[in-house]
Amino acid sequence: MSASRRPALLATDPELASFVAAEEVLQAQTLRLIPSENYVSAAVLEASGTVLQNKYSEGYPGRRYYEGQQNIDRVEALAIERAKGLFGVDHANVQPYSGSPANLAVYLAFAKPGDTVMGMALPMGGHLTHGWGVSATGSWFRGVQYGVQQDTGLIDYDAVRDLALAERPKILFCGGTALPRTIDFAAFASIAEEAGSVLVADVAHIAGLIAGGAHPSPAGHVDVISTTTHKTLRGPRGAMLMCREEHAKAIDKAVFPGLQGGPHNQTTAGIAVALHEAAQPSFTAYAHAVVANAKALAAQLLERGFDLVSGGTDNHLILIDLTGKAVPGKTAAKALDRAGIVVNYNTVPFDTRKPFDPSGIRIGTPSLTSRGLGVDHMPQVADWISRAVDAAAKGDERALAAIRAEVTDLMSAHPAPGLPLS
């Protein structure tokens, strides 16, 4: 890595500059399989590091509390229009700082403390902010959770309906953080209508797949769509809330002034660039390739004796139950990391182990697809995972080192987008 790429940082804070350089090398040399991570383009990186950082812009385009917003208004309006066009929605708010605050804004817009809210249980694949107990959303609101069937790993929509009709939640969340199967938004819409609930689709993980036509869209089915702008969408670390026109004022008021002050304008610019990129035919091809790679990798893992929650995947994500391999998820994840394969340990439905030392690992294909790996590479990836898990069981560090060398060789042949490495 050339130090001249960041001469001011290197001169001012060489210690921090060395950490950034080391991270660039790590991202370049490792096989990143965390499904919530990706590589942004050089254009998104550039937009995220502009002088827009210098501006305070409380309010919305044309309605600011600060002067000098002529250019900021144009940047935010551009991001809004691109979001509306890409996702086919009436209204978009691109100001939330991240996914969790975006979801909190939904609560502020439609519920009061103590109201009943409903979402998928965290151990079943849901998200903390869907009313789970350790989250503020589970402390301030009465959270009730649905799950998946133990024999199939799939959502039982009849059971969701029964729970919703019994509890009548103000807000019903669909979507999650470890769901390998397609979400039936129409089925959730029918349940929400019958229960009198505001339906929110949290599509943080699959927004890019939706934008690229590789997953059905919630638009037209749900009241609100919440999403981060990174993950499969390949934008900066931010979030968006999109909704029907009737909810626009409530959503905007909840974001600002309800929860936050001025937006991060440099992030808004990065979001605008990412949305532009996601509207291109090449992104459609990318989204479908992500799914094709995930399905191919799942099939290869099944051949090697791995137990996959729900038996496979419809999207970018694979949840592996390692109980049958006699290796805890945390042990496997750390061994894979030493082998140059980056995953996260994760609970699996009906897990008997503790969340910080669970039975599973969660993997996905967004990052490797961004590097140009295809279906033909998935047998090799599955083989590395299998060998690394076996090595973890045996404590074989030499085997892990051998895998890491092989991973580094393949990664060097497939440069990552946006990384400033020659």
Side-chain angles (χ1 to χ4, degrees):
M1 194 277 301
S2 173
S4 63
R5 291 186 182 273
R6 287 183 296 272
L9 179 60
L10 186 63
T12 301
D13 194 338
E15 183 178 21
L16 191 281
S18 71
F19 297 160
V20 175
E23 178 61 24
E24 289 175 346
V25 172
L26 186 68
Q27 290 189 24
Q29 293 182 347
T30 54
L31 178 63
R32 299 171 67 213
L33 290 179
I34 293 177
S36 53
E37 291 188 349
N38 213 328
Y39 296 98
V40 300
S41 68
V44 170
L45 278 176
E46 288 183 7
S48 300
T50 59
V51 295
L52 300 178
Q53 169 74 42
N54 297 336
K55 300 292 292 186
Y56 246 113
S57 307
E58 287 187 350
Y60 291 101
R63 297 179 289 118
R64 305 287 189 183
Y65 289 82
Y66 291 72
E67 300 307 316
Q69 305 298 319
Q70 299 91 328
N71 297 310
I72 301 302
D73 280 0
R74 294 165 68 188
V75 170
E76 186 169 335
L78 183 63
I80 289 170
E81 289 307 309
R82 286 175 175 176
K84 290 165 60 178
L86 186 63
F87 288 95
V89 295
D90 296 335
H91 180 76
N93 187 309
V94 298
Q95 291 194 10
Y97 297 149
S98 64
S100 293
N103 284 348
L104 195 58
V106 172
Y107 288 93
L108 184 59
F110 299 110
K112 296 179 180 179
D115 282 347
T116 298
V117 298
M118 181 172 159
M120 175 170 271
L122 180 65
M124 299 293 173
H127 193 262
L128 283 166
T129 57
H130 297 175
W132 193 244
V134 298
S135 163
T137 62
S139 298
W140 297 342
F141 302 91
R142 177 177 172 267
V144 295
Q145 281 79 39
Y146 58 89
V148 297
Q149 300 172 78
Q150 190 162 6
D151 57 340
T152 66
L154 302 175
I155 295 172
D156 182 341
Y157 289 93
D158 289 334
V160 174
R161 176 180 178 273
D162 291 343
L163 182 61
L165 293 180
E167 300 290 350
R168 303 284 175 173
K170 280 288 185 70
I171 300 172
L172 171 59
F173 277 93
C174 58
T177 190
L179 303 179
R181 294 298 183 176
T182 300
I183 301 168
D184 189 341
F185 296 117
F188 271 108
S190 178
I191 294 167
E193 182 178 12
E194 195 172 357
S197 308
V198 173
L199 181 60
V200 181
D202 186 336
V203 300
H205 263 269
I206 56 174
L209 304 184
I210 292 167
H215 188 288
S217 173
H221 296 294
V222 307
D223 295 289
V224 180
I225 301 170
S226 174
T227 185
T228 53
T229 49
H230 43 290
K231 301 185 176 82
T232 53
L233 195 55
R234 294 202 298 195
R237 298 298 295 269
M240 300 187 297
L241 287 170
M242 298 172 281
C243 63
R244 295 171 175 158
E245 188 59 40
E246 65 192 88
H247 300 310
K249 288 184 179 179
I251 287 295
D252 285 354
K253 185 179 178 180
V255 174
F256 173 83
L259 288 178
Q260 61 190 53
H264 296 168
N265 296 309
Q266 73 282 4
T267 300
T268 304
I271 291 171
V273 174
L275 293 170
H276 175 69
E277 293 175 344
Q280 306 309 311
S282 59
F283 191 90
T284 297
Y286 164 74
H288 284 84
V290 168
V291 175
N293 280 338
K295 290 183 175 181
L297 180 54
Q300 290 294 323
L301 290 169
L302 287 170
E303 285 188 10
R304 288 162 174 79
F306 284 91
D307 181 12
L308 310 185
V309 173
S310 80
T313 183
D314 297 325
N315 53 34
H316 67 302
L317 183 149
I318 301 167
L319 189 58
I320 305 174
D321 185 345
L322 293 172
T323 302
K325 295 286 186 179
V327 180
K330 189 173 186 176
T331 300
K334 291 187 175 296
L336 283 160
D337 192 54
R338 296 195 295 277
I341 300 171
V342 186
V343 307
N344 67 274
Y345 53 87
N346 211 95
T347 56
V348 297
F350 308 99
D351 206 333
T352 58
R353 299 180 65 88
K354 295 180 179 180
F356 198 64
D357 188 17
S359 298
I361 57 173
R362 187 184 66 153
I363 66 173
T365 54
S367 294
L368 65 82
T369 306
S370 290
R371 298 188 73 147
L373 272 67
V375 170
D376 291 346
H377 294 99
M378 295 308 104
Q380 177 65 81
V381 174
D383 183 61
W384 283 332
I385 293 171
S386 182
R387 287 165 53 195
V389 170
D390 288 344
K394 300 173 183 176
D396 189 348
E397 293 299 321
R398 292 182 64 183
L400 296 176
I403 296 168
R404 186 171 191 122
E406 296 172 22
V407 170
T408 301
D409 285 344
L410 181 63
M411 294 300 97
S412 67
H414 294 273
L419 286 189
L421 293 167
S422 59

